[in-house]
Every structure is written in structure tokens, then in C-alpha cells.
Amino acid sequence: MKQKDLFSPIQIGPYTLANRIFMPPLTRCRASSDHIPTPRMIPYYVQRVNAGLIITESTFVSPQGTGYPNAPGIYNEKQVQEWKNITDAVHKDGGHIFMNLWHVGRVSHPDYYEGKLPVAPSAIVSTDGMASTYEGRKPFVTPRALETSEIPGVVEQYRSAAENVLAAGFDGVEIHGANGFLPDQFLRDGSNKRTDQYGGSVENRVRFLLELTEAITSVMGGNRVGIRISPTGTYNSMSDTDPEATFTYLCKALNRFGLAYLHVIEAWGGDIRRGAKVMPLALLREAYKGMIVVNAGYDKDRGNKVIEDGLADAVAFGQLFIANPDLPARFKINAPLNEPDKETFYSGGDVGYLDYPTLEESNQRF
Ligand SMILES: Cc1cc2nc3c(=O)[nH]c(=O)nc-3n(C[C@H](O)[C@H](O)[C@H](O)COP(=O)(O)O)c2cc1C
């Protein structure tokens, strides 16, 4: 039997995907100022339709979950309508698309809440970077700790967003449990000092994410739901005294949902510079029984290798997909890759968004 590689088809939940080259969530700040997807987002996603799976840019579940300018939401009619135009276009061209659901928690600013404080598991400020607002970068503020009685309401924000995701025609949902946003703030003991049933022990810290999973799977079944985690990520001031214990416990607890996949961001870039420990993928592989998508810093060869070694089932390529809309075609023939332009990651407009050339456009042999 042929060894599996990036080009082997893969079954993710109910979907047979053409390859294992996934597009991870990538915030591009091209939505309107009231978080409604704009028409230019349609060709952007369609250009990348040959990804085995497109996972959308992180998308706010509610006004309370908001915290970046011009990032989209999925909590009102208009947003659902505009996202539907995107999913229709992607499906028409044969693609598959999940939505990454986002609540930023403390990584926000009172500007987004008429002067009120952002919410978090505990009143602990992120000291890494600054808040992005419509008036530029501002220092983070110390958030307000959620009351225990408020937590079901936050879970409901996700459940209701999941209904909207279905109404907008998506194939599934990815819960953003990574990178220091709200669910991750609950998971790790550097940001969660609660003394109720949502803090303290590992069992308590994973409770919030499990409740979200329960709520979302009640809407669409487990096999259309993925979860993104970053066990040793340090972005947004994240830390945990025992990531192996926290995340192997979480993985085991997730097994019962029969999820579409677990999406693991390994330590990369700033994490490594800050001395983050790299958690062996084998540990998660052993604890989690379903499909694993891996990400961060991969190229074609390392991607093939991690699949060949049996440590992951698919690989997500972030910056490479920003710069190479036809990444799978380029990988296939070892074609040169366009370089991503960091200046235009979040700049708005078509430049650096819709104008990265495909191989054909570069007049190279396909
Ligand atoms: C411009 C940009 C925007 C990103 N936005 C998101 C996001 O919205 N949600 C998320 O979970 N990760 C986000 N990430 C992280 C990527 O999904 C990915 O984890 C990271 O780029 C590392 O993978 P790579 O080395 O293949 O680029 C973003 C990264 C970049 C460069």
C-alpha cells in the first residue's frame, strides 16, 4: 500500500477531502467595521479552494467576544447572509469550509464594549503586546472575572453562533481553543485562578471548553466539529505549569465526542524565543483517538514526514496559504513559492489579499 502523504485523500467527519493540505484560520481584517464579511472575501476564499479543508479566519461568536478591528462575526442576520455568499462560492468550486469560532476574552479593550471591561476567567491582564482598536494600539486593561452564573450565557453565545454557522452553509465548526483567547484562558493556570468549578484542578479548567463542545455538538453532531489548541503557546501571555497534564487530560476527555479533528499548534516563532517547551506530538497522539491536524512552521517535506511518521493526519500551512493561493498545485510539482508580505497581512483592501499570483499567472508551467 502506498505510504500516506499530503496528497492522500482523508475522511474528516462526513467529508472525503481531496488532500491533507489544510488552510488554518488567518485573520486578515477585511470585514466591515461592524464585523460583516465584505465581497472581497469571496474571491479570497475561492482562490484557496484546493486546500483539503479551508478553516476561516477566526470569527466572533458575539459582541462580547469581539476584540479586533475589521474581523468578522457570526452573531447577526447580515453576517450570516454574507458568509452564505462565501460558502456557496466555495462549495460551487468543490471546496470544504469550516468556521473557526472566536471569543477573545481578555485580549480586547473597553473601546469594543462602550467603555466596559472585557471578560476573562480571572482578573489578570495580558502583558504581551497591546489591544488592537479602531484608534490604533492601546494597552490591555485588567479584565473583569466572569461570575460563575454568567458562564452558561457565554456557552450559549457559542451554541447560538453554531446555529448561525449552519444557516450560513458551512461544513462544520472549529472551536478556537488556542493562542490565549477565552477557552485557552480557562485551560491554563497562568490565566485561570478561579476557585469555582471552572478553576483549580485540570478537570475544572477544561470544563469550559468541554461545555462549549457539548453545546456545539448538540447543534451539528460531533463529527462536524474540530478544536484548535496550542498546548505550549506563549502568545497573549499564556503559560501553564504542567501543559502535558492539562492537554493529555483534555484530549482524553474529548474522545467521547467523536470530533472531526483536533488541530494542534506546536510551539513556534515567539514561543521558541520565549523558551517554550515543545510537547511531543506522540503524547497527544496517544491520548486523542481521532484525526490530528498539525500546524506551525511546516513546509512540504516536514508535512509529508509528520504524516508518514503517523504523528498527524493532516497539516495546516498558514503563511504559505496567504502567499500561495494554489499551494497544493505548487507542492505537487515542487514549484517556487511566493513570499508572504507581512505589511499587508491586516492592511485592508485587495493588495496582499487578492493579488498573489498563481503559477499560471506567473506564466510558469503548471
Ligand atoms: C496573518 C496571520 C493571521 C492569523 N490569524 C489567526 C486566526 O485568526 N486564528 C488562529 O487561530 N490563528 C491565526 N494565525 C496563526 C496561524 O493559523 C498559524 O497557526 C501560524 O501562522 C503558524 O503556521 P504557519 O507557520 O504555517 O504560518 C494567524 C497567523 C498569521 C500569520
Side-chain angles (χ1 to χ4, degrees), residues 69-117:
N70 300 97
I74 185 78
Y75 50 82
N76 66 35
E77 269 300 301
K78 184 76 182 139
Q79 292 163 339
V80 171
Q81 271 170 25
E82 297 303 324
W83 277 117
K84 181 87 174 48
N85 294 332
I86 294 170
T87 62
D88 282 348
V90 166
H91 288 146
K92 188 164 156 281
D93 281 13
H96 289 90
I97 182 163
F98 275 36
M99 173 171 274
N100 178 284
L101 285 185
W102 201 17
H103 188 311
V104 301
R106 71 181 182 180
V107 186
S108 189
H109 190 272
D111 280 10
Y112 289 103
Y113 318 112
E114 294 163 346
K116 297 202 191 82
L117 292 176

Side-chain angles (χ1 to χ4, degrees), residues 24-28 56-58 100 102 174 176 178-179 181 228 265 268 295-298 316-320 322 345-346:
L26 294 160
T27 290
R28 304 303 311 277
T56 66
E57 59 207 279
S58 291
N100 178 284
W102 201 17
E174 178 178 276
H176 198 345
N179 293 350
F181 299 107
R228 189 165 216 224
I265 310 175
W268 68 295
N295 168 246
Y298 279 83
F317 299 91
Q319 289 159 91
L320 293 186
I322 289 178
F345 277 176
Y346 311 111

Side-chain angles (χ1 to χ4, degrees), residues 251-252 255 281-289 292:
C251 286
K252 288 180 187 160
N255 284 329
L281 270 178
L283 268 182
L284 301 175
R285 191 59 151 173
E286 196 184 314
Y288 183 70
K289 299 304 173 202
I292 292 189

Side-chain angles (χ1 to χ4, degrees), residues 324-347:
N324 299 276
D326 55 349
L327 186 64
R330 287 173 188 260
F331 274 174
K332 190 100 201 173
I333 60 165
N334 290 321
L337 300 174
N338 300 322
E339 284 295 317
D341 170 17
K342 294 193 162 84
E343 297 300 311
T344 52
F345 277 176
Y346 311 111
S347 59

